[in-house]
Amino acid sequence: MALRYFLRRRIQRHIQGEKTPVLQTLDEADSLIILTQVQGNEAVILLNRLQGRFPQATDILLINLNKEKKLTVLRDGHRTLIETGTNNLTFFGGLSNSLHELIKDLGTSVLINTDNGSADLLHLIAANIHAGLKCGMHNPFELPLYNPLITPEKDQTPEEFIETVNAYMKSLTGKK
């Protein structure tokens, strides 16, 4: 219970003063950060598919929460995969030093949290990253972390949710 209280306070502190979201489709975003919670080599497969689906993005970063206890970073050109576990969350709701150092200077056009399990660590990571637009499907702690908040009617895979977000952003912006 104490951890959730500290997490709420940290997320609230990070999102204070957030700018108005910049509406754009994923097809025109120059950088993407995707937060997921998949197992095995699904994260690598997703990263490869994202590169093929959004070739205009100069930087694609996938942060995956898994059951491993170590922090792993794989870089390949303009693609990066960060594998992290819940042990990178401190008792007082902060990020471990190593994970904090990895993400402290990150910025992106669009950040999408595809996790349908509403993992606290992924919400805290999203709060720590500067992004023009942050999309997610859960509203953690009733805080305005994601704008827009897109909640699909049924469970979707990360790829399906990304396509849902892209279709929604196209309808909002009027672009095809």
Side-chain angles (χ1 to χ4, degrees):
M1 191 59 144
L3 177 62
R4 298 220 23 119
Y5 170 77
F6 290 122
L7 272 168
R8 178 182 169 77
R9 283 185 46 200
R10 283 191 188 263
I11 290 173
Q12 190 172 23
R13 193 174 332 133
H14 284 290
I15 63 175
Q16 286 178 347
E18 288 267 325
K19 296 179 181 174
T20 313
V22 178
L23 296 181
Q24 63 178 315
T25 66
L26 302 183
D27 296 323
E28 59 190 6
D30 60 347
S31 61
L32 295 169
I33 294 181
I34 309 294
L35 307 178
T36 62
Q37 187 174 1
V38 295
Q39 300 304 317
N41 63 351
E42 291 178 42
V44 174
I45 294 168
L46 177 60
L47 188 60
N48 289 334
R49 287 184 179 161
L50 288 173
Q51 181 184 14
R53 173 66 180 86
F54 303 108
Q56 84 290 348
T58 57
D59 290 313
I60 300 174
L61 172 66
L62 182 70
I63 300 176
N64 185 47
L65 178 64
N66 60 23
K67 295 180 180 173
E68 297 293 321
K69 296 198 183 271
K70 60 183 179 179
L71 181 65
T72 307
V73 179
L74 302 170
R75 289 189 174 95
D76 179 22
H78 67 278
R79 299 179 304 166
T80 304
L81 172 64
I82 298 176
E83 295 269 356
T84 185
T86 54
N87 64 325
N88 286 298
L89 185 62
T90 66
F91 178 74
F92 293 106
L95 297 172
S96 69
N97 288 337
S98 54
L99 181 56
H100 177 72
E101 287 299 316
L102 275 174
I103 68 169
K104 74 177 181 179
D105 295 325
L106 287 180
T108 186
S109 306
V110 179
L111 179 142
I112 302 174
N113 187 347
T114 67
D115 176 36
N116 56 9
S118 192
D120 291 339
L121 179 59
L122 292 178
H123 295 307
L124 184 59
I125 290 170
N128 277 280
I129 295 174
H130 302 287
L133 177 70
K134 291 182 183 180
C135 298
M137 63 176 81
H138 294 285
N139 188 358
F141 315 105
E142 302 303 317
L143 295 172
L145 176 58
Y146 304 111
N147 190 3
L149 186 68
I150 302 171
T151 306
E153 292 180 7
K154 62 180 181 79
D155 282 347
Q156 293 184 329
T157 65
E159 271 187 276
E160 291 171 339
F161 184 68
I162 290 167
E163 286 305 318
T164 300
V165 168
N166 199 24
Y168 183 73
M169 297 312 295
K170 284 180 181 179
S171 69
L172 279 179
T173 60
K175 298 178 181 173
K176 293 187 178 196

